[in-house]
Every structure is written in C-alpha cells, then in structure tokens.
Amino acid sequence: MQSTAVGMSGAARSVGPHLRAGPTSGGQLSHQRGRHVASFPRQTGRAVKSLGSRRQYTPRLGKRNKCDCFCLHAMWGGSRTIPHRVLSSVPHASGKMEVIEVGDVNGPYGEPKTVRVWLPAGHMPRAGPWPTIYLNDGQNVFEDHLSFVGVAWRAGIAANELISQGKIRPCVVVAIDNAGANRSFEYLPYPPGTGGGVGLKPGFRPEAKDWPGGGVEDYLKRVLEEIVPVTQQRYGCSAMPSQRAFGGSSFGGINAICMGMNHPGAFDNLIIESPSFWMAEGRFLEEVVAHKGPWPPRMFMAMGSSEYSGTRGEHRPDVDSFLCNSLGLARDSFVQNGVQKSDISFWIDEGAVHSEKDWCRRFPRALEHLMPKP
C-alpha cells in the first residue's frame, strides 16, 4: 500500500507506505490512513497585496517539489512542509465528509489539529476555486453525536439544502476542532475572568476564574499558515478573501472578531455568533470599540435575547441586555470604520439562548447573507 501527495493540479503520486488504519471519532475509515504534505518554500517578506487601506493575503503558486506537490509561498514567510493525513472519508449530506489531521508534534504548534471538511455533491478540486466557510469548534459543526450538547450546527445539511435550492453558491465547509481544555487559551487574547462589564456586578461566571487565555494569535496564524493552505491545496478552496468566511460562536465568536481585527485582509466575511463580551469584565469590547483599523466588509452577527438567563439557570436580564447591547456597540464600531451597514446582517433573536440549537437554526441565514448565488 502507498500513500499519496496531492498537488495543486489534482495529480497524485505515491510517496510512502500507509500508516496504520483504525476507527476515528469522525466515523469508520473508508480507507487506510495516508500521509500527505503541502510544501511552502522560503520567501522574503509576505505575499501581500495592498487593497487601499486593507491587505490581502495571496499565497503564490511555486515550483513542484520532489514529491510532485506544488509548493506555495507561505503567507508569513519561512520554509517548512505542512504534513496532513486523512483519518476518514464518508458520505455526508449528499456530498462527502473528510476528517484530516494537519501538522504534527514536530511542527511549530506541537500537536496536530483535527479538521473536518464537508465537500458538496460533485466536488472536484480542479473545478474550483471553491468558496469556503471556516468555522471554529469543529466538533459541534456537522454531527449531533460529536457535539458538546448533542445538537450540532448541521452545517453540511444546511449548505446542501441551500445549494440544491439555488440560494447560495456551491461551497466547502471547513470545521476546525477546538483544543478541549485549552479551548479558551486558543480562542481568547487573555483569560476570560469571572464575567463583568459596564453596569454589571462582576463575578457571575466564577467557574471561568482559572480558564486560560492569550494564545489567540498563534491559533490565528495556524489557521492562516497551515489549515487554509492545506485546504486550498487538497480541495481547491479559494484563496480570494471575497470567497472565504471565518466564524464561530461564544469564545469562537470572540475569536472570529480577533481574526477580523488582527488580519482584516484574510477573510472578507465573518460569522459572529453570541460572542462572550462578558469576558475580562468588558475589556475586549472596549478594545473592539476603540479599534480604528479596517474590518472585513461583510458580516453576520447574532445574539439571543436570553443568552445568559436561558442557559445558566439564573434569571439575569441585566446580563442578557448587556450582551445584546454589546453586539450593537460592536456593529456600530464596524460601521464607523468603513463597513457598510447594509453588509452586516444583524439579528437579536428573541427568546434564543446560548446554545448549538439556536446557532444551528440561524446558520442558513448566515450562509445566504455571506455566500449568495450571483
């Protein structure tokens, strides 16, 4: 048995033996595990084009390497190979779901990252570039049995239905698994603390007292340096920011805002669901409002009117109002910094709570706003 290294051309060539096969959380393997690489040779400076006051990350096609893989110039410079292996490939929502591991223990990020990729019916990499939605908390994105609360976003099902109805462009959905106990560290710029904000008595989230934070930029760089290039190389995902979205919910929604604030040229579209603006006693919201740089030009923003009271078992209308008002303040700040108000789909969802069930229900509207059919 041989594994393959798939190049940008879609060609495949044997490069080494398969790894051991076995079941994974993504379902039974349909084939043995193979190891694949995407190579990124050194360059001087970033591959960035100026878009007025915005910057666009554009990996450039390079020469083939010895494994017959096309090489891309890394967005952040440097030279290394990005290994990835297929864990499973199964039918899902009229298309296919592949679960892959990106990176390894010898890479700059320590542990490999599990990534779940839904491919629409008829997908072929050569038929791209494919519009792509990248989502945090990958375990909760596709399948109920993997979700933290037993209900997933069912993103593949939603995308397939809207594609079949001609309401959105055919697209790929990439779900990046969270880091479990280190989730808050990856997603947040600093520890979340115990909850607070303007007009709120602090300390209503005591269980979060010792949760870590501060690893957000390393995570965002990993998305841009490893995960996006591998999906472009393997699945034909688009390199155009206008055809890419990035998003998440809760701490994952905070993380999406960080992506937009720190790397505004990487994705033109954001999904910001129920961001936890209570973190660090409102410090992050203050930084968003104070930010004077560019933002991605299209956004879907949503918050339930009972985010806290409907989830925590404690009636706190003051916290519910704070979270809804905070989302509005963030929206106003985006508009003041150049985002057209008409390009922001803003939804205070009456009666909705902080849950996968409500994010699942709202996801089709996010797709229709960000990935409309031309």
Side-chain angles (χ1 to χ4, degrees):
M1 282 287 193
Q2 298 288 312
S3 67
T4 59
V6 181
M8 287 291 290
S9 65
R13 181 174 176 177
S14 65
V15 296
H18 276 297
L19 301 177
R20 179 176 60 84
T24 71
S25 62
Q28 189 69 30
L29 291 179
S30 61
H31 52 74
Q32 287 186 306
R33 293 182 183 180
R35 192 168 183 79
H36 312 267
V37 296
S39 299
F40 299 84
R42 184 173 298 279
Q43 66 169 11
T44 56
R46 295 181 181 178
V48 177
K49 292 193 299 185
S50 174
L51 297 178
S53 61
R54 301 176 59 246
R55 294 159 73 83
Q56 175 180 350
Y57 293 84
T58 54
R60 300 197 304 275
L61 191 63
K63 297 178 179 179
R64 292 178 184 267
N65 64 14
K66 293 180 180 180
C67 293
D68 202 32
C69 292
F70 274 108
C71 298
L72 299 177
H73 289 276
M75 288 178 283
W76 297 88
S79 176
R80 67 186 181 88
T81 293
I82 302 175
H84 62 284
R85 60 177 179 171
V86 178
L87 301 180
S88 66
S89 181
V90 297
H92 182 78
S94 299
K96 181 172 70 172
M97 171 112 58
E98 284 202 352
V99 181
I100 63 175
E101 273 189 350
V102 178
D104 59 25
V105 293
N106 297 317
Y109 302 103
E111 295 294 328
K113 177 68 76 173
T114 299
V115 179
R116 306 168 193 276
V117 183
W118 178 77
L119 307 167
H123 172 272
M124 295 179 62
R126 290 182 178 180
W130 290 85
T132 307
I133 302 99
Y134 296 83
L135 296 172
N136 290 319
D137 290 311
Q139 300 96 320
N140 302 335
V141 169
F142 294 115
E143 300 174 289
D144 290 351
H145 73 277
L146 294 177
S147 176
F148 175 68
V149 294
V151 177
W153 288 35
R154 302 172 184 170
I157 295 171
N160 177 62
E161 289 181 353
L162 293 173
I163 292 169
S164 300
Q165 295 166 6
K167 294 182 178 180
I168 66 170
R169 293 167 278 172
C171 59
V172 172
V173 182
V174 176
I176 307 162
D177 275 18
N178 66 48
N182 285 322
R183 175 177 178 263
S184 62
F185 180 77
E186 278 197 335
Y187 286 175
L188 302 181
Y190 27 78
T194 58
V198 176
L200 294 178
K201 182 180 179 181
F204 53 84
R205 292 295 303 269
E207 75 282 2
K209 177 182 178 181
D210 297 320
W211 290 0
V216 64
E217 189 56 26
D218 278 348
Y219 174 73
L220 298 180
K221 286 184 178 180
R222 185 172 198 178
V223 171
L224 295 173
E225 292 182 358
E226 283 196 343
I227 295 168
V228 168
V230 165
T231 58
Q232 290 174 192
Q233 180 260 342
R234 181 173 178 83
Y235 303 111
C237 295
S238 180
M240 297 176 60
S242 62
Q243 295 191 44
R244 299 197 306 212
F246 183 79
S249 59
S250 191
F251 285 171
I254 295 291
N255 187 258
I257 296 173
C258 289
M259 178 68 85
M261 183 160 51
N262 297 352
H263 307 282
F267 298 89
D268 274 4
N269 306 279
L270 293 183
I271 297 174
I272 303 169
E273 275 281 11
S274 302
S276 304
F277 283 127
W278 56 263
M279 64 167 290
E281 298 186 0
R283 171 184 168 188
F284 180 73
L285 175 63
E286 293 174 358
E287 292 180 359
V288 170
V289 172
H291 181 69
K292 299 305 178 185
W295 291 95
R298 290 182 66 82
M299 302 184 188
F300 177 86
M301 305 176 67
M303 185 81 74
S305 66
S306 299
E307 287 277 333
Y308 187 89
S309 297
T311 308
R312 307 298 303 177
E314 178 186 9
H315 186 58
R316 288 291 301 271
D318 56 332
V319 178
D320 296 331
S321 296
F322 168 79
L323 293 170
C324 293
N325 292 338
S326 296
L327 193 72
L329 290 173
R331 187 247 341 246
D332 294 345
S333 180
F334 300 151
V335 171
Q336 291 169 8
N337 281 277
V339 181
Q340 297 297 311
K341 194 171 184 178
S342 60
D343 287 332
I344 301 176
S345 178
F346 184 86
W347 186 1
I348 299 299
D349 192 358
E350 189 63 35
V353 302
H354 197 82
S355 75
E356 251 53 49
K357 181 179 179 180
D358 285 319
W359 301 327
C360 170
R361 182 171 50 81
R362 295 196 291 255
F363 185 62
R365 186 180 292 191
L367 287 176
E368 289 188 72
H369 178 65
L370 300 179
M371 294 286 163
K373 193 166 185 178

